[in-house]
Each structure stands twice: as structure tokens, then as C-alpha cells.
Amino acid sequence: MIAGCNKATGQRGFSLIELLVALAILALLASIAVPFADMAMQRKKEEELRYALRTIRDAIDEYHHATQDGRLQKMVSGSGYPRKLDVLVEGVEDQQSPTKKKIYFLRRIPRDPFAPKEEKAADTWGKRSSTSSAEEPREGDDIYDIYSRSDKVGLNGIPYRQW
């Protein structure tokens, strides 16, 4: 006998019970797949966060090194770190260049992937000045470090603010 075949009428098809069982199996598979998809999306955002933090921190360090080397003008009371993140994209005049060419440290400022999309990329980051501690970061006259302002916790159990 062929499954789903009605002998009396000769019509082929599935019974209501067979359809319900198939739908239950599909629902079970979907309920298993959704958490994996959410975890994959979080992993992707975490990778973007790692990359953005590394990129901006490297640019801040390069700015500081250029200041220490005398290529950028350093204020008397300044630490040698940029005053704002936008400077890394806008460029700074090279003091050693006879034509006063600009030095650029970033093409663009990466966004914090956990920040709201409406914010400007530079405003998505928390900024720490060189005069504040790592445990209690505060903004100041310069930008020594950046951090995510997200209250979420990473898959590794460490809050994104501490990355």
C-alpha cells in the first residue's frame, strides 16, 4: 500500500495527522536552529568589536609615537595623545615635512557594533583619558584608550566594556 493513498477514491495525499507530525518536526528543528543563529550573530559582532578596538587603539598609539618623534605639534601640557577621535581621520600637519603634509592615521573610524546605529561612529565609543584609571575610565583632555559602552557580556563571560 502506498502511504497517503486512499483506496476508495484513488486520491493521493497526506492525512491531517501526517501533516501535524511533519509540522511538529519542522518546529522542533527551527527551535533548535534559532539559538545557534543568535550565537553566530553575536560571535560576528564580537569579531567586529575586536577588530575595531585593535584598529583604533593602534591608530592612537601611532599618533602618540608620531608626537614623541616630533612629527606632530605637542602642547606644553599635552600628553601626546589625540584630543578627539576625528583627528585620526582628518589628519594632522607633519612638523618635519617641508611642505607641511598631513599625516593620516585612519581612513574612517569603525563603529562599535553593539552601539545604536543612529550615533556617529566616533560617538559610539567610550573614551578614557591618560589621567584616568582603567577601572574607572573617564573622559578628559585627550584620548588614551577607548572601550565599548555596551552593558552586554561576551560569550567568554567578560563584559564588552572591559575588552
Side-chain angles (χ1 to χ4, degrees):
M1 180 168 148
I2 301 173
C5 182
N6 187 342
K7 280 186 173 181
T9 61
Q11 295 178 344
R12 297 181 70 169
F14 293 102
S15 70
L16 182 59
I17 292 176
E18 290 172 327
L19 285 174
L20 288 175
V21 168
L23 284 175
I25 291 170
L26 284 174
L28 178 66
L29 291 173
S31 68
I32 291 171
V34 168
F36 286 114
D38 289 343
M39 189 180 300
M41 182 63 78
Q42 186 173 357
R43 273 200 183 111
K44 182 178 183 280
K45 282 187 171 187
E46 285 185 0
E47 194 59 40
E48 288 174 20
L49 178 62
R50 276 188 202 93
Y51 176 77
L53 286 169
R54 185 176 28 235
T55 300
I56 296 173
R57 286 173 174 162
D58 286 347
I60 290 170
D61 289 342
E62 295 223 6
Y63 183 100
H64 182 70
H65 291 301
T67 303
Q68 300 298 74
D69 292 343
R71 295 186 68 195
L72 305 181
Q73 183 177 5
K74 182 178 178 182
M75 302 298 179
V76 175
S77 62
S79 63
Y81 289 100
R83 291 180 161 271
K84 58 182 187 161
L85 289 178
D86 292 327
V87 169
L88 302 172
V89 175
E90 294 165 359
V92 185
E93 194 175 280
D94 185 349
Q95 298 298 306
Q96 294 179 355
S97 169
T99 59
K100 301 296 183 197
K101 289 179 107 176
K102 282 189 170 186
I103 302 172
Y104 299 95
F105 299 93
L106 287 174
R107 290 186 180 137
R108 66 174 182 79
I109 298 172
R111 302 182 54 77
D112 179 346
F114 293 100
K117 298 287 183 204
E118 306 84 46
E119 290 184 273
K120 183 178 149 191
D123 296 335
T124 62
W125 299 103
K127 293 141 186 115
R128 175 182 162 211
S129 76
S130 60
T131 58
S132 71
S133 69
E135 293 78 30
E136 294 182 37
R138 289 178 286 109
E139 288 192 35
D141 293 335
D142 61 6
I143 299 175
Y144 173 74
D145 194 14
I146 59 159
Y147 58 91
S148 176
R149 295 184 306 167
S150 174
D151 293 329
K152 295 180 181 179
V153 176
L155 293 173
N156 60 1
I158 299 172
Y160 295 129
R161 293 179 153 265
Q162 296 176 9
W163 282 28

